[in-house]
Amino acid sequence: MISLKQLRYLDAIARHGHFGKAAAQCAVSQPALSMQIQELEQELGVQLVERRRQGAQLTPAGREIARRAQRVLNEVRDIGDFARQSLEPLSAPIRLGVIPTVAPYVLPALLPLVSAGYPQLVLRLRETHTQQLMAELIDGTLDLLLLALPVEHPEIETLRLIEDRFLLAMPPGRKLGGRVRATPELFAHDRLLLLEEGHCLRDQALAFCHLRQAEGVDTFGASSLSTIVQMVANDMGLTFLPEISIGVEAMGGRVSIGRFADPEPSRTLGLAWRTTCPRKEDFVALGALVVEAVRQCQRPATAFVSGRRAREPRATT
């Protein structure tokens, strides 16, 4: 008889490619984990793992069974989530993934709102790129993502929350005569400084400016907006900043901030979760807190924008 324990052990080996690391994740000894895998192989009549000096590698049959096991484990986890949710809203922990261009700006406002409104809720946070977050959501490592939409996947449901406009960050002291348009000509005499590849913000900025090629664009391997802002502050170029970041990144007049002409470039921030997860009501409730946190981030931007006063943030419909 196949047990959930055996499936969890196989899933851990699939994730780590190593018996020792898999055993540590499962809080068991390596011999105990190895014995359970051997019993699973005997039960199924097929070899699942190639045991090597350097680690453990799944056989083709092992990879397919591990994929199916992951689905079973997600369903079991969802059963527990459903039971907990039926007792009290937002009472069970949520493993929340957030992209790096949102986390430093929204979480400081969101966490106090969560503590005040749902003191029993535990948020377990993970910050990394969209692609990695999506993989961890699908395999059940994460429950919920806060990221830029859209995301396209048949197993993922999303909820649009709010529009986050982009502003132009310039060296300190530089002013705009009026609102500018996000065109290639804007960067004819200034370098466009962007985050390294893998950040969705980089791709969005290139698309807004119709810069399909990376010519005239510098990334310098920068992985944070704060690094890019320091470069702009030292007259090394211009960059896009999401409105939620302005209260932090433009603090102290490090850079000048200007708005774009209509239609203003923006991104849609929202939530994403597995369609099979029964906690949609929890996620919608948490989404309402995210909207309030984003609005708190966007309001201070009005003090930093040169020219006309910024408009109120736009909620999505």
Side-chain angles (χ1 to χ4, degrees), residues 223-253:
S223 60
S224 75
L225 286 177
S226 294
T227 300
I228 296 293
V229 168
Q230 289 295 335
M231 297 167 67
V232 173
N234 285 279
D235 205 13
M236 297 176 67
L238 311 176
T239 196
F240 283 79
L241 287 179
E243 191 168 13
I244 61 171
S245 74
I246 298 302
V248 173
E249 301 300 350
M251 185 67 67

Side-chain angles (χ1 to χ4, degrees), residues 160-174:
R160 294 161 54 95
L161 294 179
I162 202 162
E163 288 296 309
D164 183 27
R165 294 184 292 262
F166 289 96
L167 295 92
L168 182 65
M170 304 164 287
R174 188 180 302 189

Side-chain angles (χ1 to χ4, degrees), residues 17 46 55 67 80 82 97 110 124 126 140 147 156 161 166 168-169 171 179 184 228 247 258:
V46 63
R67 185 183 68 81
F82 175 79
L110 175 63
R124 296 169 181 163
R126 164 91 160 119
L147 73 176
I156 300 300
L161 294 179
F166 289 96
L168 182 65
R179 297 194 180 198
I228 296 293

Side-chain angles (χ1 to χ4, degrees), residues 36-159:
Q36 287 292 321
I37 295 298
Q38 289 176 9
E39 291 181 5
L40 179 60
E41 290 176 324
Q42 292 170 6
E43 177 71 26
L44 296 173
V46 63
Q47 183 179 356
L48 302 175
V49 182
E50 294 181 28
R51 295 155 176 82
R52 299 180 172 184
R53 274 188 171 183
Q54 300 87 347
Q57 180 175 327
L58 296 185
T59 64
R63 286 194 295 272
E64 176 60 21
I65 291 171
R67 185 183 68 81
R68 293 170 182 261
Q70 183 184 94
R71 189 182 307 164
V72 171
L73 294 171
N74 283 343
E75 291 286 350
V76 171
R77 192 178 295 116
D78 289 345
I79 290 173
D81 287 343
F82 175 79
R84 285 187 290 269
Q85 178 180 276
S86 65
L87 297 175
E88 188 175 355
L90 286 174
S91 58
I94 293 178
R95 297 166 298 174
L96 175 65
V98 190
I99 57 175
T101 56
V102 170
Y105 314 112
V106 173
L107 291 182
L110 175 63
L111 296 181
L113 293 175
V114 170
S115 296
Y118 302 94
Q120 72 278 20
L121 175 61
V122 176
L123 286 180
R124 296 169 181 163
L125 300 172
R126 164 91 160 119
E127 178 185 335
T128 190
H129 296 172
T130 298
Q131 186 175 1
Q132 182 63 34
L133 290 178
M134 287 290 293
E136 294 180 18
L137 179 65
I138 292 166
D139 72 17
T141 303
L142 295 172
D143 302 311
L144 181 68
L145 306 182
L146 172 56
L147 73 176
L149 300 179
V151 294
E152 304 292 340
H153 195 283
E155 298 178 23
I156 300 300
E157 184 174 352
T158 61
L159 174 67

Side-chain angles (χ1 to χ4, degrees), residues 273-290:
W273 61 88
R274 295 186 308 279
T275 55
T276 57
C277 184
R279 302 186 65 184
K280 181 173 180 177
E281 290 184 10
D282 274 359
F283 300 154
V284 171
L286 184 61
L289 297 184
V290 172

